[in-house]
Amino acid sequence: MSVRYLTSLSQVRQLDADEIKKLSEVEKKYKFRTNEYYLSLINWDDPNDPIRKIAIPSPEELEDWGSIDASQESKYTRMRGIQHKYPDTALLLAVNVCGTFCRFCFRKRLFFKENLETISPDISDNIDYIRKHPEITNVLLTGGDPFILSTQKLERIISQIREIEHIQIVRIGSKIPASNPYRIVEDPSLLEMISKYSSPRKRIYIITQFNHPRELTDVAIEALDKMLGAGAILSNQTPLMRGINDDPDVLAELLKKLSFVGNPPYYVFQVRPTIGNKPFAIPLVETYRIFQKALSKVSGLAKRTRLIMSHATGKIEIMAVADGKIVLRYHRAANREDEGRIMIYPAKPDAYWLEDLMD
Ligand code: SF4
Protein backbone atom coordinates (compact mmCIF):
# COMPACT_ATOMS: atom_id res chain seq x y z
CA MET A 1 0.00 0.00 0.00
CA SER A 2 1.48 3.33 -0.94
CA VAL A 3 0.95 5.74 1.95
CA ARG A 4 0.51 9.39 1.02
CA TYR A 5 2.12 12.02 3.23
CA LEU A 6 0.26 15.25 3.98
CA THR A 7 2.04 18.48 4.84
CA SER A 8 -0.88 20.87 5.16
CA LEU A 9 -4.12 20.72 7.13
CA SER A 10 -5.98 21.65 3.95
CA GLN A 11 -5.12 18.14 2.68
CA VAL A 12 -6.94 16.50 5.60
CA ARG A 13 -10.33 15.82 4.02
CA GLN A 14 -11.89 14.91 7.40
CA LEU A 15 -11.47 18.52 8.63
CA ASP A 16 -13.94 21.18 7.50
CA ALA A 17 -12.94 24.66 6.36
CA ASP A 18 -13.86 26.26 9.71
CA GLU A 19 -11.67 23.86 11.66
CA ILE A 20 -8.75 24.44 9.32
CA LYS A 21 -9.17 28.20 9.65
CA LYS A 22 -9.29 27.93 13.46
CA LEU A 23 -6.00 26.03 13.40
CA SER A 24 -4.20 28.20 10.85
CA GLU A 25 -2.17 30.12 13.47
CA VAL A 26 -0.98 26.87 15.06
CA GLU A 27 -0.08 25.47 11.67
CA LYS A 28 1.91 28.59 10.92
CA LYS A 29 3.86 28.30 14.18
CA TYR A 30 4.46 24.53 14.40
CA LYS A 31 4.90 22.37 11.34
CA PHE A 32 2.20 19.88 10.43
CA ARG A 33 2.92 16.58 8.74
CA THR A 34 1.24 13.22 8.84
CA ASN A 35 0.09 10.47 6.49
CA GLU A 36 -3.12 8.78 5.42
CA TYR A 37 -2.41 5.54 7.27
CA TYR A 38 -2.01 7.36 10.59
CA LEU A 39 -5.14 9.45 9.97
CA SER A 40 -7.07 6.23 9.33
CA LEU A 41 -6.52 5.26 12.99
CA ILE A 42 -8.55 8.27 14.16
CA ASN A 43 -12.19 8.01 15.18
CA TRP A 44 -13.32 11.30 13.61
CA ASP A 45 -16.63 11.23 15.51
CA ASP A 46 -14.72 11.67 18.77
CA PRO A 47 -13.26 15.18 19.18
CA ASN A 48 -11.11 13.77 22.02
CA ASP A 49 -9.74 10.87 20.05
CA PRO A 50 -6.17 10.18 21.33
CA ILE A 51 -4.63 9.58 17.90
CA ARG A 52 -6.20 12.81 16.68
CA LYS A 53 -4.51 14.60 19.58
CA ILE A 54 -1.14 13.19 18.53
CA ALA A 55 -1.46 14.20 14.87
CA ILE A 56 -3.87 17.14 14.55
CA PRO A 57 -2.98 20.57 16.01
CA SER A 58 -5.07 22.19 18.72
CA PRO A 59 -5.42 25.92 19.55
CA GLU A 60 -4.06 25.25 23.10
CA GLU A 61 -0.61 24.73 21.59
CA LEU A 62 -0.41 28.52 21.33
CA GLU A 63 -0.69 28.96 25.12
CA ASP A 64 2.35 30.59 26.63
CA TRP A 65 4.02 27.65 28.35
CA GLY A 66 7.35 25.87 28.34
CA SER A 67 10.62 26.58 26.59
CA ILE A 68 11.96 25.80 23.15
CA ASP A 69 14.58 23.31 24.35
CA ALA A 70 13.33 22.01 27.69
CA SER A 71 16.14 19.47 28.18
CA GLN A 72 18.78 21.94 26.96
CA GLU A 73 19.94 19.58 24.24
CA SER A 74 21.64 22.47 22.46
CA LYS A 75 24.11 22.61 25.40
CA TYR A 76 25.26 19.08 24.55
CA THR A 77 25.32 19.63 20.78
CA ARG A 78 28.98 19.25 19.80
CA MET A 79 28.45 19.97 16.11
CA ARG A 80 25.47 20.01 13.79
CA GLY A 81 23.88 16.59 14.08
CA ILE A 82 25.78 15.30 17.15
CA GLN A 83 24.67 15.42 20.78
CA HIS A 84 27.04 13.98 23.36
CA LYS A 85 25.78 14.21 26.93
CA TYR A 86 26.76 10.90 28.59
CA PRO A 87 30.30 9.64 27.87
CA ASP A 88 29.26 6.30 26.35
CA THR A 89 26.37 7.54 24.20
CA ALA A 90 26.23 9.83 21.17
CA LEU A 91 23.07 10.94 19.40
CA LEU A 92 23.34 11.32 15.65
CA LEU A 93 20.46 13.38 14.27
CA ALA A 94 20.17 11.81 10.87
CA VAL A 95 17.14 13.66 9.47
CA ASN A 96 14.65 16.35 10.45
CA VAL A 97 11.48 14.86 9.01
CA CYS A 98 9.11 12.30 10.59
CA GLY A 99 6.26 10.02 9.55
CA THR A 100 3.97 12.21 11.57
CA PHE A 101 4.96 15.34 13.47
CA CYS A 102 3.71 14.54 16.97
CA ARG A 103 2.09 17.59 18.46
CA PHE A 104 3.94 16.95 21.75
CA CYS A 105 7.37 16.69 20.14
CA PHE A 106 10.17 17.95 22.42
CA ARG A 107 12.40 18.54 19.39
CA LYS A 108 10.00 20.67 17.41
CA ARG A 109 12.71 23.33 17.28
CA LEU A 110 14.51 21.13 14.75
CA PHE A 111 11.64 21.57 12.33
CA PHE A 112 12.02 25.37 12.34
CA LYS A 113 13.81 26.62 9.24
CA GLU A 114 16.22 28.83 11.14
CA ASN A 115 17.49 26.07 13.41
CA LEU A 116 21.22 25.48 13.26
CA GLU A 117 21.60 22.45 15.49
CA THR A 118 19.79 20.30 13.05
CA ILE A 119 21.26 17.60 10.85
CA SER A 120 24.70 17.92 9.38
CA PRO A 121 24.90 18.53 5.63
CA ASP A 122 27.92 16.22 5.65
CA ILE A 123 27.52 13.04 7.68
CA SER A 124 31.26 12.33 7.48
CA ASP A 125 31.92 15.07 10.08
CA ASN A 126 29.54 13.29 12.44
CA ILE A 127 31.20 9.94 11.80
CA ASP A 128 34.61 11.53 12.40
CA TYR A 129 33.45 12.88 15.75
CA ILE A 130 32.31 9.41 16.84
CA ARG A 131 35.53 7.84 15.57
CA LYS A 132 37.63 10.28 17.59
CA HIS A 133 35.78 9.52 20.83
CA PRO A 134 36.63 5.96 21.93
CA GLU A 135 34.53 6.36 25.10
CA ILE A 136 31.40 6.23 22.89
CA THR A 137 30.13 2.64 22.79
CA ASN A 138 26.64 3.29 21.52
CA VAL A 139 25.12 5.55 18.94
CA LEU A 140 21.48 6.51 18.83
CA LEU A 141 20.30 7.43 15.36
CA THR A 142 17.49 9.86 15.80
CA GLY A 143 16.12 13.08 14.38
CA GLY A 144 13.50 13.33 13.08
CA ASP A 145 12.81 9.74 12.20
CA PRO A 146 15.66 7.76 10.61
CA PHE A 147 13.21 5.35 8.93
CA ILE A 148 12.01 8.27 6.79
CA LEU A 149 15.34 8.01 4.98
CA SER A 150 15.66 5.65 2.06
CA THR A 151 17.18 2.30 3.00
CA GLN A 152 20.19 3.19 0.87
CA LYS A 153 20.85 6.40 2.81
CA LEU A 154 20.29 4.71 6.14
CA GLU A 155 22.67 1.92 5.20
CA ARG A 156 25.31 4.46 4.23
CA ILE A 157 25.16 5.85 7.79
CA ILE A 158 24.93 2.52 9.62
CA SER A 159 27.72 0.89 7.61
CA GLN A 160 30.08 3.76 8.51
CA ILE A 161 29.18 3.50 12.19
CA ARG A 162 29.68 -0.26 12.12
CA GLU A 163 33.23 0.26 10.83
CA ILE A 164 34.13 2.00 14.08
CA GLU A 165 35.49 -0.66 16.39
CA HIS A 166 34.46 0.91 19.72
CA ILE A 167 30.77 1.15 18.73
CA GLN A 168 28.91 -1.86 20.05
CA ILE A 169 25.27 -0.82 19.96
CA VAL A 170 23.45 1.06 17.23
CA ARG A 171 20.02 2.26 18.27
CA ILE A 172 17.44 3.64 15.86
CA GLY A 173 14.75 5.80 17.46
CA SER A 174 11.60 5.66 15.32
CA LYS A 175 7.88 6.24 15.44
CA ILE A 176 7.46 4.85 11.92
CA PRO A 177 6.40 1.38 13.21
CA ALA A 178 3.40 3.21 14.75
CA SER A 179 2.87 6.00 12.24
CA ASN A 180 3.52 4.18 8.95
CA PRO A 181 4.37 0.48 9.41
CA TYR A 182 4.00 -0.04 5.63
CA ARG A 183 7.42 1.62 5.33
CA ILE A 184 8.79 -1.50 7.03
CA VAL A 185 6.61 -4.33 5.78
CA GLU A 186 6.90 -3.27 2.16
CA ASP A 187 10.65 -2.81 1.98
CA PRO A 188 12.47 -6.14 2.17
CA SER A 189 15.77 -4.32 1.60
CA LEU A 190 15.32 -2.50 4.94
CA LEU A 191 14.95 -5.82 6.73
CA GLU A 192 17.96 -7.26 4.89
CA MET A 193 19.95 -4.22 5.97
CA ILE A 194 18.92 -4.69 9.63
CA SER A 195 19.84 -8.34 9.43
CA LYS A 196 23.24 -7.50 7.89
CA TYR A 197 24.23 -5.05 10.66
CA SER A 198 22.52 -6.66 13.68
CA SER A 199 25.00 -9.41 14.45
CA PRO A 200 25.08 -11.78 17.45
CA ARG A 201 27.85 -9.71 19.03
CA LYS A 202 26.69 -6.24 17.99
CA ARG A 203 22.95 -5.80 17.90
CA ILE A 204 20.79 -3.12 16.37
CA TYR A 205 18.16 -1.85 18.79
CA ILE A 206 15.04 -0.21 17.47
CA ILE A 207 13.45 2.08 20.01
CA THR A 208 9.87 2.56 18.90
CA GLN A 209 7.36 5.13 20.07
CA PHE A 210 3.89 3.66 20.52
CA ASN A 211 1.88 6.08 22.63
CA HIS A 212 -1.52 4.42 22.61
CA PRO A 213 -2.63 0.76 22.32
CA ARG A 214 -4.71 1.57 19.22
CA GLU A 215 -1.48 2.19 17.31
CA LEU A 216 -0.67 -1.52 17.66
CA THR A 217 -2.62 -2.51 14.56
CA ASP A 218 -2.15 -5.79 12.67
CA VAL A 219 0.21 -4.16 10.19
CA ALA A 220 2.19 -2.47 13.00
CA ILE A 221 2.57 -5.85 14.72
CA GLU A 222 3.65 -7.36 11.41
CA ALA A 223 6.32 -4.65 11.09
CA LEU A 224 7.60 -5.39 14.60
CA ASP A 225 7.62 -9.11 13.88
CA LYS A 226 9.62 -8.58 10.68
CA MET A 227 12.20 -6.46 12.49
CA LEU A 228 12.52 -9.07 15.25
CA GLY A 229 12.90 -11.71 12.53
CA ALA A 230 15.71 -9.63 11.01
CA GLY A 231 17.59 -9.78 14.33
CA ALA A 232 16.77 -6.38 15.82
CA ILE A 233 16.08 -5.95 19.53
CA LEU A 234 13.00 -3.86 20.18
CA SER A 235 11.89 -1.64 23.03
CA ASN A 236 9.43 1.20 23.33
CA GLN A 237 9.37 4.60 24.93
CA THR A 238 6.49 7.01 25.35
CA PRO A 239 5.63 10.13 27.27
CA LEU A 240 2.66 9.87 29.66
CA MET A 241 0.27 12.45 28.25
CA ARG A 242 -3.02 14.10 29.16
CA GLY A 243 -5.80 12.88 26.89
CA ILE A 244 -3.65 10.23 25.21
CA ASN A 245 -2.54 7.62 27.73
CA ASP A 246 -3.29 9.18 31.14
CA ASP A 247 -6.01 6.65 31.95
CA PRO A 248 -4.22 3.89 33.95
CA ASP A 249 -6.25 1.22 32.10
CA VAL A 250 -5.16 2.59 28.71
CA LEU A 251 -1.54 2.89 29.80
CA ALA A 252 -1.64 -0.64 31.25
CA GLU A 253 -3.10 -1.97 28.00
CA LEU A 254 -0.31 -0.28 26.04
CA LEU A 255 2.44 -1.65 28.33
CA LYS A 256 0.91 -5.13 28.31
CA LYS A 257 0.42 -5.32 24.55
CA LEU A 258 3.94 -4.06 23.91
CA SER A 259 5.37 -6.83 26.07
CA PHE A 260 3.12 -9.43 24.41
CA VAL A 261 4.48 -8.58 20.94
CA GLY A 262 8.15 -8.60 21.95
CA ASN A 263 8.57 -4.83 22.11
CA PRO A 264 8.78 -4.33 25.87
CA PRO A 265 8.40 -0.86 27.34
CA TYR A 266 11.71 0.82 28.18
CA TYR A 267 11.02 4.37 29.38
CA VAL A 268 7.81 6.23 30.19
CA PHE A 269 8.57 9.96 30.23
CA GLN A 270 7.22 12.97 32.03
CA VAL A 271 6.18 15.24 29.11
CA ARG A 272 8.95 17.77 28.64
CA PRO A 273 7.88 21.37 29.27
CA THR A 274 8.47 22.31 25.64
CA ILE A 275 6.61 25.14 23.94
CA GLY A 276 3.29 23.98 22.55
CA ASN A 277 3.05 21.06 24.98
CA LYS A 278 0.59 22.53 27.49
CA PRO A 279 -2.34 20.36 26.32
CA PHE A 280 -0.41 17.19 27.23
CA ALA A 281 1.12 18.26 30.53
CA ILE A 282 0.46 16.45 33.82
CA PRO A 283 2.10 17.42 37.16
CA LEU A 284 4.77 15.01 38.47
CA VAL A 285 2.84 13.56 41.42
CA GLU A 286 -0.20 12.83 39.26
CA THR A 287 2.01 11.28 36.54
CA TYR A 288 3.60 9.05 39.17
CA ARG A 289 0.19 7.90 40.50
CA ILE A 290 -1.13 7.08 37.01
CA PHE A 291 2.08 5.19 36.22
CA GLN A 292 1.95 3.15 39.45
CA LYS A 293 -1.71 2.30 38.96
CA ALA A 294 -0.96 1.10 35.42
CA LEU A 295 2.04 -0.93 36.63
CA SER A 296 -0.18 -2.69 39.19
CA LYS A 297 -2.09 -4.22 36.25
CA VAL A 298 0.84 -5.58 34.22
CA SER A 299 3.31 -8.47 34.39
CA GLY A 300 6.92 -8.27 35.49
CA LEU A 301 8.19 -7.85 31.93
CA ALA A 302 6.12 -4.72 31.36
CA LYS A 303 6.95 -3.50 34.89
CA ARG A 304 10.63 -3.14 33.97
CA THR A 305 9.85 0.25 32.43
CA ARG A 306 11.00 3.31 34.38
CA LEU A 307 9.29 6.66 34.82
CA ILE A 308 11.81 9.30 33.78
CA MET A 309 12.12 13.07 33.69
CA SER A 310 14.58 13.96 30.90
CA HIS A 311 16.17 16.89 32.66
CA ALA A 312 19.05 19.00 31.36
CA THR A 313 21.26 17.43 34.07
CA GLY A 314 20.34 13.83 33.27
CA LYS A 315 17.63 11.22 33.22
CA ILE A 316 15.93 11.42 36.60
CA GLU A 317 13.77 8.52 37.71
CA ILE A 318 10.64 9.30 39.70
CA MET A 319 10.99 6.55 42.29
CA ALA A 320 8.28 7.12 44.88
CA VAL A 321 5.73 9.49 46.36
CA ALA A 322 5.07 8.78 50.03
CA ASP A 323 4.43 10.66 53.30
CA GLY A 324 4.18 13.98 51.45
CA LYS A 325 7.59 13.52 49.81
CA ILE A 326 8.71 12.71 46.28
CA VAL A 327 11.83 10.59 45.82
CA LEU A 328 13.93 11.01 42.68
CA ARG A 329 17.15 9.34 41.54
CA TYR A 330 19.63 10.10 38.77
CA HIS A 331 19.34 7.16 36.40
CA ARG A 332 21.86 8.78 34.04
CA ALA A 333 23.72 11.97 34.85
CA ALA A 334 25.57 14.46 32.66
CA ASN A 335 27.78 15.20 35.67
CA ARG A 336 29.38 11.95 36.82
CA GLU A 337 29.13 12.84 40.54
CA ASP A 338 25.35 12.92 40.21
CA GLU A 339 25.13 9.31 38.96
CA GLY A 340 22.71 7.41 41.24
CA ARG A 341 22.15 10.44 43.52
CA ILE A 342 18.84 10.36 45.41
CA MET A 343 16.86 13.56 45.91
CA ILE A 344 13.89 13.97 48.24
CA TYR A 345 11.57 16.97 48.07
CA PRO A 346 8.13 17.91 49.40
CA ALA A 347 5.62 16.41 46.94
CA LYS A 348 4.04 19.65 45.70
CA PRO A 349 0.91 18.66 43.78
CA ASP A 350 1.45 21.30 41.06
CA ALA A 351 5.19 20.75 40.53
CA TYR A 352 5.92 19.86 36.97
CA TRP A 353 9.70 19.75 36.61
CA LEU A 354 12.71 19.44 38.94
CA GLU A 355 13.03 23.22 39.36
CA ASP A 356 9.43 23.45 40.65
CA LEU A 357 10.26 20.94 43.40
CA MET A 358 13.45 22.79 44.36
CA ASP A 359 11.74 26.22 44.71
S1 SF4 B 1 8.47 11.05 15.81
FE1 SF4 B 1 9.79 11.83 17.47
S2 SF4 B 1 11.01 13.49 16.56
FE2 SF4 B 1 9.27 13.05 15.18
S3 SF4 B 1 7.68 14.49 15.80
FE3 SF4 B 1 7.29 12.58 16.91
S4 SF4 B 1 8.36 12.87 18.87
FE4 SF4 B 1 9.19 14.42 17.45
Side-chain angles (χ1 to χ4, degrees), residues 164-214:
I164 306 172
E165 196 124 326
H166 53 266
I167 302 305
Q168 308 297 326
I169 293 174
V170 175
R171 279 183 285 170
I172 302 173
S174 175
K175 192 177 166 67
I176 286 279
S179 66
N180 178 13
Y182 287 100
R183 161 72 185 96
I184 296 158
V185 299
E186 292 185 344
D187 182 4
S189 68
L190 177 67
L191 297 161
E192 279 161 28
M193 195 270 289
I194 293 172
S195 146
K196 182 167 162 195
Y197 295 100
S198 186
S199 66
R201 287 186 188 273
K202 293 190 176 191
R203 286 286 169 198
I204 288 195
Y205 281 69
I206 295 169
I207 313 294
T208 65
Q209 196 199 156
F210 288 87
N211 308 120
H212 190 278
R214 262 189 19 225

